Amino acid sequence: MPVDFSNVTINQVKQSLKFIPEDAEVILMGVCESPNSDLNFYSNVEPAVLEAYRKTVKDKEQEKMDQLLQKVGSLRQFKTHIEIGVPHKAILSYAKVNGVDLLVLGKHHRLRLEDYLIGSTIHYAINEAECDVLITTSA
C-alpha cells in the first residue's frame, strides 16, 4: 500500500483495511524522488554526497511513516518500506519482486489535464501491475 503522507492518506489506509483479511501482511510503502545517479556524471556531484543526501531523504520519509502509523491507530502490525525512485516504477518493481498479491492505491483529485500530461501512478498500476489493484478514494 503506497502512501504519500498527504492529508487523505490516513483515511485511505483505514478504508482499505476493511478489504484486507486480518491475517494478511500489510506493507506501507513510501517512495521519494531524488536526483538520478546517472546525472551526477554531468553535474560533478561526488557519489558520496549523493548517497548522504539519499540517506537523509530516506530517514525523513521513515519519520513521516512512523507519524502516519501513529495517526492510523490500528492494532494491525504493519511492515514499512521506504524507497528512492520514480514512484510508479518503484511501486511496480517492488510489487513484482516481492510477490505482492494486492496493490492498494489511493486516488487523489487532480486535474484531468495533469494526469494526461504527466500520467498517474494509478494509470501505470492498472496497466502494468502483475497483481490485483484496489483503488480507494479520499471520500
Side-chain angles (χ1 to χ4, degrees):
M1 187 180 309
V3 295
D4 66 1
F5 312 110
S6 66
N7 292 333
V8 298
T9 300
I10 296 166
N11 187 44
Q12 289 174 332
V13 171
K14 288 179 179 179
Q15 293 301 318
S16 300
L17 292 176
K18 295 176 183 177
F19 301 100
I20 301 171
E22 288 290 327
D23 61 342
E25 178 180 63
V26 179
I27 304 165
L28 298 180
M29 180 180 187
V31 181
C32 44
E33 295 189 59
S34 156
N36 188 329
S37 60
D38 295 339
L39 297 178
N40 73 346
F41 174 79
Y42 300 104
S43 63
N44 294 324
V45 175
E46 293 291 323
V49 171
L50 190 57
E51 283 307 310
Y53 173 75
R54 286 184 176 146
K55 182 181 180 335
T56 300
V57 168
K58 276 184 103 167
D59 290 346
K60 286 182 180 181
E61 288 292 298
Q62 187 60 55
E63 287 176 21
K64 290 179 187 177
M65 184 70 78
D66 295 341
Q67 292 170 359
L68 174 74
L69 288 172
Q70 289 177 351
K71 291 176 182 175
V72 167
S74 174
L75 296 177
R76 282 193 188 229
Q77 294 296 312
F78 295 97
K79 286 191 174 185
T80 63
H81 177 74
I82 304 294
E83 193 159 324
I84 294 179
V86 178
H88 73 272
K89 290 181 181 180
I91 292 165
L92 293 172
S93 174
Y94 184 87
K96 182 176 182 176
V97 168
N98 292 283
V100 169
D101 296 318
L102 177 65
L103 187 57
V104 180
L105 296 166
K107 172 89 172 102
H108 294 281
H109 300 287
R110 291 194 325 187
L111 299 173
R112 289 184 195 264
L113 179 61
E114 191 176 4
D115 282 342
Y116 177 75
L117 293 174
I118 62 173
S120 72
T121 302
I122 290 176
H123 171 80
Y124 289 108
I126 290 170
N127 290 299
E128 298 179 24
E130 296 181 9
C131 61
D132 291 333
V133 178
L134 172 66
I135 309 299
T136 64
T137 63
S138 58

